[in-house]
Amino acid sequence: NYDFRHHNMLMTDDNRVKISDFNIAVLLGWDTAKEETCAYEWYIVCGKTIWGTDRAPEECMDKETREERKEMLTTKTEVFHLGNILNFLLTKKKFPFVAKEDQGKFVLEAEEGKEYEMKEAAEIVKKYILKGDLPPLPEDVAKSDDPAVKALIEARDKALIYDVKDRASARDVANILDKAVSKLAQK
């Protein structure tokens, strides 16, 4: 699903997560020569609205042509989106880097107190994404000794790595979380 974001997930009464909103889903092929999923191409509006502020860096690179993006968008793009979902779980904030949202006005984490219109806030957040900045965590979360929180932070940080080549795979993120769950189950 090319639109893997926290606001496209639903929780059932029996606590199962369901993914919704498949309107821009892409069926990926398998490259038998490289033994990996094929890259895919899609045009993304990043930095225009606040809804695009949870996009991966490779989705936001204006200087790249659509053909070059085809080489860059892979399943690791979705891992970046998973990192934003983990960030949402840790911070309860809908948009990375946004401290407060009120009636179309946005206050950014790094610029506490100054309000921005949506488009201007989105452009600033796009710059943070393209620099490779991680969304800040609340101090109590960042300093938490809770092993579950530590695992979520580790998984989030590895999923939100700027460079696709260095970014964790979905399996890497699952292993981090699985290891933490196993340790918690032993207690």
Side-chain angles (χ1 to χ4, degrees):
N1 180 15
Y2 186 67
D3 207 14
F4 191 59
R5 303 156 90 180
H6 73 273
H7 46 267
N8 290 340
M9 303 183 108
L10 307 169
M11 185 72 79
T12 65
D13 290 338
D14 60 348
N15 292 323
R16 293 182 359 189
V17 176
K18 299 280 188 171
I19 300 170
S20 67
D21 193 2
F22 288 90
N23 63 323
I24 59 173
V26 175
L27 183 61
L28 298 179
W30 183 257
D31 185 328
T32 55
K34 293 181 182 178
E35 289 294 311
E36 64 185 21
T37 52
C38 298
Y40 54 97
E41 116 181 77
W42 198 267
Y43 179 72
I44 291 297
V45 178
C46 183
K48 303 291 183 209
T49 73
I50 207 69
W51 293 102
T53 59
D54 58 355
R55 294 295 179 188
E58 59 270 24
E59 295 177 287
C60 294
M61 295 178 181
D62 292 336
K63 67 182 179 200
E64 302 295 330
T65 65
R66 192 168 183 186
E67 189 60 33
E68 288 170 322
R69 287 181 190 216
K70 182 177 181 181
E71 294 297 318
M72 297 177 68
L73 298 182
T74 67
T75 56
K76 285 193 175 184
T77 302
E78 295 303 328
V79 171
F80 194 91
H81 297 169
L82 175 59
N84 279 320
I85 291 169
L86 297 172
N87 190 71
F88 172 73
L89 292 173
L90 290 162
T91 66
K92 299 180 185 122
K93 293 183 178 161
K94 284 199 286 190
F95 308 109
F97 302 104
V98 175
K100 189 173 89 175
E101 166 196 6
D102 185 32
Q103 297 181 356
K105 301 283 187 192
F106 298 85
V107 177
L108 304 179
E109 305 258 17
E111 302 172 41
E112 195 66 47
K114 185 171 180 188
E115 287 188 342
Y116 294 95
E117 296 291 330
M118 182 186 343
K119 184 172 179 173
E120 188 178 13
E123 288 171 0
I124 294 168
V125 170
K126 177 181 174 181
K127 289 177 186 173
Y128 294 148
I129 293 168
L130 290 173
K131 283 192 323 190
D133 291 352
L134 284 174
L137 292 170
E139 190 173 335
D140 62 322
V141 172
K143 293 182 177 181
S144 176
D145 290 329
D146 184 323
V149 172
K150 285 182 172 186
L152 287 171
I153 292 170
E154 180 185 0
R156 173 200 92 130
D157 291 354
K158 290 187 177 182
L160 291 178
I161 289 176
Y162 175 82
D163 193 325
V164 176
K165 293 182 298 294
D166 298 329
R167 190 176 304 149
S169 68
R171 173 54 45 209
D172 295 334
V173 172
N175 287 342
I176 291 166
L177 298 174
D178 189 48
K179 183 175 155 186
V181 168
S182 294
K183 281 184 180 179
L184 288 170
Q186 292 173 1
K187 289 186 175 187

